Amino acid sequence: PVKAAGHAKYSNDIQTPNTLFAKLLTSPHGKAKVAKLDVEPAKQVPGVQGVHIFRDVGSDLKCDGELIAAVAAERPEQAL
């Protein structure tokens, strides 16, 4: 009855202090090269706490889903 009444708690309903949300940029191709990467716009978004680059421009990517960059922010919509 709790779920049917709309009173159930889910992980998205829980707010913990100092939680950061991450967005990962991954390779959509199995074999590719990073041609361009500009993280400056992401750093300027209010609420963004950090940007990490895993692969620099010119890096060879060997598999689909390989990490390129990540953004950590206070709210999910800020981690563009």
Side-chain angles (χ1 to χ4, degrees):
V2 175
K3 286 184 182 179
H7 300 295
K9 291 276 187 190
Y10 296 94
S11 59
N12 282 345
D13 298 324
I14 300 169
Q15 300 294 323
T16 55
N18 302 318
T19 297
L20 293 178
F21 297 88
K23 176 73 175 183
L24 304 176
L25 174 64
T26 60
S27 173
H29 306 291
K31 185 171 175 149
K33 184 176 285 235
V34 179
K36 181 179 167 185
L37 184 62
D38 184 9
V39 297
E40 291 307 313
K43 291 180 179 179
Q44 302 305 318
V45 175
V48 169
Q49 300 296 309
V51 177
H52 184 77
I53 299 171
F54 293 93
R55 298 286 181 256
D56 291 320
V57 173
S59 296
D60 289 323
L61 304 172
K62 296 175 177 58
C63 62
D64 180 29
E66 190 168 344
L67 286 174
I68 299 170
V71 176
E74 295 168 0
R75 311 243 337 116
E77 60 272 9
Q78 295 167 328
L80 304 172

